[in-house]
Amino acid sequence: MYAQMVKSTGQAVRTRDDMTVEERAFQDRIDRGEKIEPKDWMPEGYRKNLIRQIGQHAHSEIVGQLPEGNWITRAPTLERKANLLAKVQDEAGHGLYLYCAAETLGVSRDELFDMLHTGKMKYSSIFNYPTLTWADMGAVGWLVDGAAIMNQVPLQRTSYGPYARAMVRICKEESFHQRQGFQVMLTMARGTKDQKRMAQDALNRFWYPALMMFGPSDKESVHSAQSMAWKIKMNTNDELRQKFVDETVPQAEFLGLSVPDEKLTWNEETEHYDYSEPDWSEFFDVISGNGPCNAERLKTRKKAWDDGAWVREAMLAHARKSRARREAAE
Ligand code: BYC
């Protein structure tokens, strides 16, 4: 199957002794907490790694519109429709800020879309799962946006200026999304028996995929060490996953729902929840293109790109004509 077939190649972290004088000065700037801006000198590895992460992030935002977009016409009330519509529009905006941030690194938007459509770049595993009932809109907002915030709040302090600044607005909007999702879950959990059953079913299906959003376990993470040294990433995958579990379990309890993990227990010593790891073979299968919805998501994205060709062509033609008119007037 096509999609996301690129194999990760781990980067060895550059020690100070391995670094050139320029690289050492660059690392010193990062260590001092300075922001790196587009025109500043940067190691090629830093630039490439940022394009990979920001590009993947941007793709996740726009592919993430699809499972929720499917529910706009089926939302149960006008208010729910308006909220969901606004949320899905926000995700397009997040994609836009992130594509703009990636473009400052010398990659074009066309190249990024091409890499998404040909499976050379990944997007978040979570969006390869289906959204089967209205309760899934609650679970996505609560858990998926909840996990996104956990990961993205620290990224506001990331070393690359345009990425860090994009994160500020994204995080504000994501926290609104998380609340609207939780509110949908609360209404259903306090509703009829059937509504509560739907809410529990959505939690059962989205719990482990949400845990997988943080990436593979630290042992398997190929980019973490170098990305953290460069402050492209501020925490390890397992640190953020644990934080998410610790914050989300009490919210599930408030909803009167059970987290689908028999091993879940509060550990007095560590002051964290002990929890079961997701099925990592499922995760690697999904990011290799074999998740339940990979093919459908890419097909929909490509169709949107092809259907939008006339808009891009019309805008270019308009720009050409305006320029010609301006030049003729001068
Ligand atoms: N899905 O070395 P690792 C959102 C890949 S948007 C797919 O730990 P890294 C939202 C990874 O790319 C959510 N692939 O990687 C949107 C690497 O493969 P490559 C997106 C994954 O980069 C709309 C390999 O596995 N958020 O929430 O250090 C509506 C090894 O992993 C995943 C971001 O993108 C995954 N879950 O850490 C609602 C945030 N995890 O590239 C919500 C920014 C890992 O070598 N990104 N892989 O072929 C990050 O923070 C980091 O990139 C990650 C992964 C923590 C995701």
Side-chain angles (χ1 to χ4, degrees), residues 36-289:
I36 307 300
E37 297 298 337
K39 289 186 178 153
D40 296 348
W41 183 87
M42 60 185 80
E44 191 51 17
Y46 177 85
R47 194 183 72 83
K48 282 197 173 141
N49 201 5
L50 267 176
I51 291 176
R52 181 192 65 82
Q53 182 170 314
I54 302 175
Q56 175 175 305
H57 193 164
H59 297 328
S60 306
E61 298 286 353
I62 61 161
V63 176
Q65 293 183 284
L66 302 176
E68 292 181 288
N70 275 342
W71 278 92
I72 293 171
T73 54
R74 291 179 282 168
T77 66
L78 187 59
E79 190 191 356
R80 293 286 190 216
K81 263 190 225 304
N83 284 348
L84 188 60
L85 187 63
K87 178 186 192 295
V88 172
Q89 273 180 331
D90 284 352
E91 309 302 356
H94 299 175
L96 199 64
Y97 317 145
L98 289 163
Y99 284 121
C100 289
E103 281 175 311
T104 64
L105 291 156
V107 63
S108 73
R109 191 132 3 147
D110 281 359
E111 284 174 283
L112 289 166
F113 277 126
D114 187 60
M115 287 191 276
L116 169 66
H117 296 154
T118 54
K120 290 188 186 126
M121 273 182 97
K122 295 181 166 72
Y123 57 85
S124 182
S125 49
I126 190 74
F127 302 118
N128 293 307
Y129 291 86
T131 43
L132 304 176
T133 72
W134 170 250
D136 289 10
M137 292 305 95
V140 168
W142 172 39
L143 299 175
V144 175
D145 288 82
I149 298 167
M150 201 56 82
N151 168 277
Q152 291 168 25
V153 164
L155 291 179
Q156 295 176 109
R157 290 179 286 112
T158 191
S159 60
Y160 190 56
Y163 191 26
R165 291 189 286 273
M167 278 302 129
V168 174
R169 178 153 174 193
I170 292 180
C171 285
K172 287 203 172 100
E173 291 176 352
E174 297 286 27
S175 66
F176 179 73
H177 298 167
Q178 195 263 356
R179 278 162 222 200
Q180 72 85 31
F182 188 78
Q183 216 269 332
V184 170
M185 289 302 267
L186 192 60
T187 306
M188 298 204 69
R190 291 185 176 170
T192 64
K193 236 167 119 186
D194 277 348
Q195 284 174 315
K196 183 163 184 185
R197 187 184 46 72
M198 279 165 71
Q200 181 64 55
D201 173 58
L203 170 57
N204 293 348
R205 283 180 292 105
F206 276 94
W207 177 253
Y208 288 103
L211 295 189
M212 292 177 198
M213 283 176 71
F214 296 95
S217 76
D218 290 351
K219 299 187 290 289
E220 303 271 353
S221 171
V222 288
H223 298 291
S224 283
Q226 183 61 74
S227 290
M228 286 175 72
W230 276 331
K231 296 190 186 161
I232 286 174
K233 222 170 140 168
M234 308 304 286
N235 304 84
T236 75
N237 301 352
D238 287 338
E239 276 168 15
L240 291 175
R241 196 172 1 256
Q242 181 71 59
K243 204 158 180 271
F244 175 76
V245 172
D246 290 348
E247 285 199 14
T248 311
V249 171
Q251 294 170 3
E253 281 166 3
F254 184 83
L255 290 171
L257 301 176
S258 348
V259 172
D261 179 356
E262 283 175 6
K263 287 198 191 140
L264 188 76
T265 38
W266 178 252
N267 184 325
E268 292 288 349
E269 245 169 68
T270 61
E271 300 199 330
H272 292 294
Y273 282 97
D274 291 335
Y275 64 94
S276 304
E277 294 268 319
D279 174 354
W280 290 118
S281 63
E282 176 182 318
F283 169 78
F284 286 111
D285 228 25
V286 171
I287 69 168
S288 308

